[in-house]
Amino acid sequence: MTHAPHAPLPRRRDLAVRAAVEQELVTEDRSPVAALLDVAAVREQARALHAAFRAVAAPDQPVLHTFAVKASSLVPVLRLLADEGIGCEVASPGELALARAAGVESGRTVLDSPAKTGAELREALALGIALNADNPQELARLDALAPPPGAKLGLRVNPQVGGGSIGAMSTATATSKFGFPLRDAGAREGIVRAYLDRPWLTRLHAHVGSQGIPLELMTEGVRAVHELAEEINAATVRRDGRRQIDTLDLGGGLPVNFASDAVDPSYAEYARLLAGEVPGLFDGTYGLVTEFGRSLLAKAGTVLARVEYAKTSGGRRIALTHAGAQLATRTVFAPDAWPLRVAAYDPKGRPKTGEPVVQDVAGPCCFAGDLVARERPLPLLEESDHAALLDTGAYYFSTPFGYNSLPRPGVYGYTVGEDEAVSFATVREPQSLREIVAESGGAERDALRAPHD
């Protein structure tokens, strides 16, 4: 699939919306909502990530960039990223199965779940997948499994550097559920001892958080991990003359700007900050792993929904669409933390340009709070128009919420040719009503009936 490199992202998006309406990806009856993914935008972000770290890393320093599968659990998306040299960070058996289905090699996969079962640990060891143990009990399970030589094993530590603006996304607070706490009384000494007692622990991992975490706080967490690795390696050099830790996993979490089309902050900005504040990170001593998710895909995605009705209530204009909490779950339940831009298009998929009118944009779910935008000034949305939820390439349409048994939308990757013609590739078919019934126990309809019923 080719694309038009001269066309900026907003132009490509407008062309894709119009084409989606013309090609009936969004229709009145069968598919009133569709998810569109800009393939060129995904490739551009993947290449920007590689370039950012190449610019600061030592020559030939191993750097593995992985994608947090939870941000888009769609096999074709994982395959696209793999083609761009991005591996997978997985946090469940399902995510690992998706990564394997996408053809991502075990050596380019990292397992980070905070609640790994014994079966997951055994599978990871058997496949040669890197994993980071989250707590002392998990470490004891690894002890019992006697890891084979060459296993890629480490500990996830919580540097306890504090939280960002969204508590639920902050994983390095004093009481976070993730990792070995680094600043608790006696904890640091215990972590060092864990490495001294286990020569097969060769990695160290931390993840400060995701959306709402400033770059400075992310960098502080990385500095803490680097300093701990240096301390552990100094101890192992004194013991037997070797630096035991050879790889640092920096996590991901680059926040996304949801206020405009600008990619801000950028990977280059973050890499330069790391190089300036933690210079030893890029001197070639350690191999590096990253686990970015949302920042690779958010700008590439658009949820396009037909406006079914437009009404006025209490003087407020309300556009009722087919995209609500079942797709924009975080935005609906935590609107201040997860605001989304909304773009207005007419029935033919052309941008609307009328005077802004303050209005609510509502979804189809049967509760009053199902609003994706509140009191938003937009060109007036009317019946048969289209509302587009922007920056939704990560999480929003890949992991829908089954409220009201609303069907999952079709997901379509798109490219724009030199002539501005749009080509679509189906990533996931729209969910059928038959599939909804099947996954809701349709085949077991009579399972709860008494024999005489």
Side-chain angles (χ1 to χ4, degrees):
M1 300 173 76
T2 60
H3 66 278
H6 62 278
L9 184 146
R11 175 62 177 167
R12 297 198 303 260
R13 180 172 61 227
D14 285 348
L15 291 169
V17 167
R18 187 175 66 189
V21 174
E22 291 175 349
Q23 297 181 35
E24 298 187 334
L25 300 185
V26 178
T27 60
E28 179 179 357
D29 47 8
R30 189 177 71 89
S31 300
V33 61
L36 312 178
L37 189 70
D38 185 335
V39 174
V42 177
R43 293 191 187 278
E44 288 163 3
Q45 275 296 86
R47 292 169 188 180
L49 173 57
H50 285 300
F53 276 74
R54 275 198 307 269
V56 297
D60 301 321
Q61 182 174 10
V63 181
L64 170 62
H65 297 295
T66 67
F67 173 70
V69 173
K70 59 183 175 289
S72 184
S73 49
L74 297 165
V75 171
V77 173
L78 304 183
R79 182 67 256 170
L80 170 63
L81 289 167
D83 287 345
E84 293 295 327
I86 308 289
C88 283
E89 183 266 342
V90 301
S92 73
E95 289 184 357
L96 176 56
L98 294 174
R100 299 190 71 189
V104 177
E105 300 92 339
S106 295
R108 302 182 64 79
T109 304
V110 180
L111 174 61
D112 277 332
S113 165
K116 306 178 195 71
T117 65
E120 288 178 80
L121 296 177
R122 289 189 295 273
E123 181 179 26
L125 290 175
L127 293 175
I129 290 170
L131 71 85
N132 298 301
D134 184 83
N135 55 69
Q137 292 85 5
E138 184 179 342
L139 187 56
R141 291 184 182 185
L142 289 172
D143 286 335
L145 292 172
K152 300 174 183 178
L153 304 176
L155 301 186
R156 175 173 182 168
V157 298
N158 172 9
Q160 295 177 301
V161 293
S165 61
I166 305 176
M169 298 291 104
S170 300
T171 55
T173 59
T175 57
S176 171
K177 74 176 188 178
F178 292 98
F180 288 74
L182 186 54
R183 297 183 178 180
D184 284 11
R188 191 180 191 96
E189 295 80 2
I191 292 170
V192 174
R193 173 50 55 189
Y195 278 82
L196 289 172
D197 291 344
R198 298 168 179 84
W200 41 265
L201 285 175
T202 60
R203 295 177 165 232
L204 193 61
H205 168 51
H207 175 63
V208 171
S210 299
Q211 192 68 20
I213 305 294
L215 297 190
E216 293 75 14
L217 192 63
M218 293 171 63
T219 301
E220 187 177 345
V222 172
R223 180 191 295 110
V225 168
H226 181 261
E227 290 174 351
L228 178 60
E230 290 289 279
E231 180 179 343
I232 292 169
N233 279 341
T236 62
V237 166
R238 289 193 300 269
R239 181 193 62 191
D240 55 21
R242 77 180 186 102
R243 294 173 62 87
Q244 183 169 313
I245 296 178
D246 58 27
T247 302
L248 299 181
D249 187 331
L250 313 182
L254 192 77
V256 169
N257 161 36
F258 284 98
S260 74
D261 284 316
V263 178
D264 178 30
S266 67
Y267 293 123
E269 182 181 354
Y270 180 44
R272 287 194 298 267
L273 182 61
L274 285 175
E277 297 295 324
V278 196
L281 197 65
F282 296 108
D283 65 7
T285 300
Y286 297 98
L288 303 178
V289 177
T290 71
E291 302 173 352
F292 296 105
R294 178 183 296 107
S295 56
L296 278 163
L297 292 186
K299 294 294 176 188
T302 301
V303 171
L304 183 63
R306 189 171 180 276
V307 177
E308 196 64 42
Y309 301 107
K311 61 191 291 187
T312 301
S313 184
R316 175 76 52 78
R317 294 288 301 183
I318 304 169
L320 293 160
T321 80
H322 290 274
Q326 89 279 23
L327 299 175
T329 312
R330 291 179 178 180
T331 295
V332 168
F333 289 111
D336 293 336
W338 300 96
L340 281 179
R341 292 183 292 148
V342 179
Y345 294 87
D346 70 13
K348 294 186 177 180
R350 301 171 301 195
K352 298 197 75 172
T353 57
E355 281 295 317
V357 175
V358 173
Q359 56 197 298
D360 290 349
V361 182
C365 298
C366 286
F367 65 96
D370 185 29
L371 302 171
V372 296
R374 293 168 167 80
E375 300 183 62
R376 187 73 57 85
L378 294 167
L380 184 63
L381 285 166
E382 301 176 284
E383 181 182 346
S384 299
D385 282 341
H386 296 88
L389 311 186
L390 309 186
D391 305 327
T392 48
Y395 294 98
Y396 283 87
F397 52 70
S398 68
T399 49
F401 173 35
Y403 200 92
N404 281 145
S405 295
L406 289 162
R408 293 187 294 270
V411 180
Y412 308 93
Y414 66 87
T415 55
V416 179
E418 296 290 346
D419 58 355
E420 294 198 335
V422 179
S423 298
F424 290 103
T426 301
V427 173
R428 183 183 68 203
E429 290 282 356
Q431 187 181 27
S432 69
L433 298 183
R434 183 185 298 275
E435 289 170 323
I436 291 175
V437 171
E439 71 178 23
S440 299
E444 289 76 35
R445 184 188 66 178
D446 296 326
L448 302 181
R449 301 180 71 193
H452 59 277
D453 287 344

